[in-house]
């Protein structure tokens, strides 16, 4: 501080001296004047006393922001956090492997004594089932044959059953299948049946006409009499030997009365719509 004050005093001295001798002139001119007055040397006075200390200056302006410091060291482990909430239920896991077979259980208690077997009852039931199976097989065979070789008009189906039966049994066979022995009531139907017989290479089949009720009064199996149509072979019906009460159709389509106990194939008819 003292050194600063000394320098300040010297500067003040030279400033005062310059103002005194060199008003309004440049530096080089002042030097020439000094040379001119060098014979009248003026010496400086003694150094004055040290002045009083100045007052404390005002607080300086804040300095510029310093550069960013280097990255600090890694901190220590933080304190243990609070326990989190319970998470969502996870997805269903895969099926586990099959476990080992368990040990066998304890032996069961002794059973109650058996009851008497009514074997006869079961045998009868089995027998009835066998009959039904046989009937179903027969029906199935019939249906298959019908599909394979049927004839039809607008109203009816005709089917020749190639099983040798007497007249009564033939009629029964047609009826249990939902029909009756065929009844040709016009020439068109008669011709259709004749073609059917001959197409199978047959010579004769029973048809649904008889005079069982009253000799010489031929009736259809639906109990209607012959009316506007018949197709008797010439010379027939002759009631040969006195007991020809049933009628067959020959492959020509002609009719002949024969013994009802004759066993031959027969032709059934089935209505297409229920009457
Ligand atoms: C047949 O076989 P015979 O002649 O005695 C037929 C009769 C006919 C007759 C015609 C079972 O009798 O129905 O009317 O020929 N009997 C049989 O000649 O076919
Ligand atoms: Ca007769
Ligand atoms: Ca005859």
């Amino acid at each position: 501080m003292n050194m600063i004050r000394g320098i300040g005093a010297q500067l003040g001295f030279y400033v005062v001296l310059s103002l005194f001798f060199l008003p309004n002139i440049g530096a080089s001119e002042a030097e020439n004047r000094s040379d001119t007055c060098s014979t009248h040397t003026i010496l400086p006075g003694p150094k004055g006393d040290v002045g009083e200390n100045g007052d404390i200056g005002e607080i300086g302006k804040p300095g510029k922001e310093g550069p960013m410091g280097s990255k600090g060291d890694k901190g220590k482990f933080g304190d243990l956090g609070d326990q989190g909430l319970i998470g969502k239920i996870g997805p269903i896991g895969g099926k586990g492997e099959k476990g080992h077979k368990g040990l066998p259980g304890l032996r069961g208690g002794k059973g109650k004594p058996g009851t008497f077997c009514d074997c006869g009852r079961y045998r009868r039931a089995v027998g009835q089932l066998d009959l039904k199976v046989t009937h179903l097989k027969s029906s199935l065979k019939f249906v298959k044959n019908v599909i394979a070789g049927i004839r039809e008009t607008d109203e009816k189906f005709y089917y020749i059953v190639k099983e040798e039966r007497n007249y009564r049994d033939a009629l029964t066979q047609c009826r249990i299948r939902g029909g009756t022995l065929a009844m040709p009531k016009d020439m068109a139907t008669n011709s259709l049946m004749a073609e059917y017989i001959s197409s199978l290479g047959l010579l004769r089949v029973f048809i649904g006409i008889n005079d069982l009720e009253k000799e010489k009064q031929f009736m259809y199996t639906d109990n209607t009499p012959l009316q506007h149509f018949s197709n008797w072979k010439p010379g027939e019906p002759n009631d040969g030997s006195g007991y020809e009460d049933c009628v067959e159709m020959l492959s020509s389509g002609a009719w002949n009365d024969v013994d009802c106990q004759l066993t031959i194939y027969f032709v059934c008819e089935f209505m297409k719509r229920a009457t």
Side-chain angles (χ1 to χ4, degrees):
M1 181 61 79
N2 289 335
M3 187 176 72
I4 294 172
R5 284 178 188 150
I7 293 170
Q10 284 186 343
L11 284 173
F13 170 73
Y14 287 122
V15 168
V16 172
L17 190 62
S18 298
L19 291 173
F20 185 77
F21 286 100
L22 303 171
N24 301 322
I25 46 181
S28 60
E29 195 173 352
E31 287 175 0
N32 294 336
R33 291 284 179 88
S34 178
D35 291 339
T36 305
C37 297
S38 62
T39 55
H40 306 282
T41 304
I42 301 172
L43 298 173
K47 190 177 181 180
D49 294 334
V50 176
E52 293 180 3
N53 291 340
D55 296 333
I56 297 172
E58 296 176 357
I59 297 172
K61 293 179 181 178
K64 290 183 181 178
E65 185 177 295
M68 181 185 286
S70 58
K71 186 177 180 180
D73 294 335
K74 187 174 183 179
K76 296 178 180 177
F77 277 111
D79 294 336
L80 186 64
D82 295 336
Q83 184 174 8
L85 298 172
I86 296 174
K88 292 180 180 177
I89 297 175
I92 298 172
K95 188 176 181 181
E97 294 180 7
K98 186 177 181 180
H100 294 292
K101 186 177 181 180
L103 296 172
L106 297 173
R107 186 188 183 96
K110 187 175 182 180
K112 293 179 181 177
T115 56
F116 173 74
C117 174
D118 186 5
C119 297
R121 198 160 64 98
Y122 293 119
R123 284 199 195 95
R124 279 194 297 278
V126 170
Q128 289 171 351
L129 286 173
D130 280 342
L131 284 175
K132 287 183 178 178
V133 169
T134 302
H135 183 71
L136 286 172
K137 283 181 177 176
S138 173
S139 297
L140 182 61
K141 180 183 174 185
F142 175 78
V143 170
K144 285 180 177 176
N145 290 335
V146 165
I147 293 169
I150 206 165
R151 292 291 190 279
E152 65 180 309
T153 61
D154 288 342
E155 296 178 346
K156 299 175 181 177
F157 293 112
Y158 296 88
Y159 177 62
I160 292 175
V161 180
K162 292 199 268 188
E163 296 175 12
E164 293 181 338
R165 294 282 192 274
N166 65 32
Y167 184 89
R168 290 278 178 199
D169 289 347
L171 180 59
T172 301
Q173 288 298 311
C174 290
R175 283 179 172 167
I176 64 175
R177 292 180 170 96
T180 186
L181 279 170
M183 302 174 288
K185 293 183 176 179
D186 55 61
M187 196 57 195
T189 305
N190 205 86
S191 298
L192 178 144
M193 291 170 62
E195 184 277 328
Y196 191 13
I197 295 166
S198 58
S199 72
L200 295 180
L202 305 177
L203 296 177
R204 50 170 36 170
V205 293
F206 273 129
I207 59 175
I209 301 171
N210 68 79
D211 68 343
L212 287 165
E213 285 289 321
K214 190 175 181 182
E215 181 59 28
K216 299 296 180 191
Q217 288 195 4
F218 285 91
M219 308 277 288
Y220 287 112
T221 53
D222 62 0
N223 292 320
T224 59
L226 300 186
Q227 289 184 319
H228 312 295
F229 175 74
S230 66
N231 197 43
W232 294 110
K233 183 182 176 182
E236 307 294 346
N238 64 354
D239 198 36
S241 307
Y243 46 84
E244 291 187 333
D245 295 337
C246 293
V247 178
E248 64 177 1
M249 180 184 284
L250 306 174
S251 57
S252 63
W255 301 356
N256 173 40
D257 59 341
V258 290
D259 183 353
C260 294
Q261 295 308 311
L262 187 70
T263 55
I264 55 175
Y265 293 170
F266 52 98
V267 55
C268 302
E269 70 173 36
F270 303 90
M271 291 295 295
K272 285 188 172 178
R273 299 176 199 82
T275 54

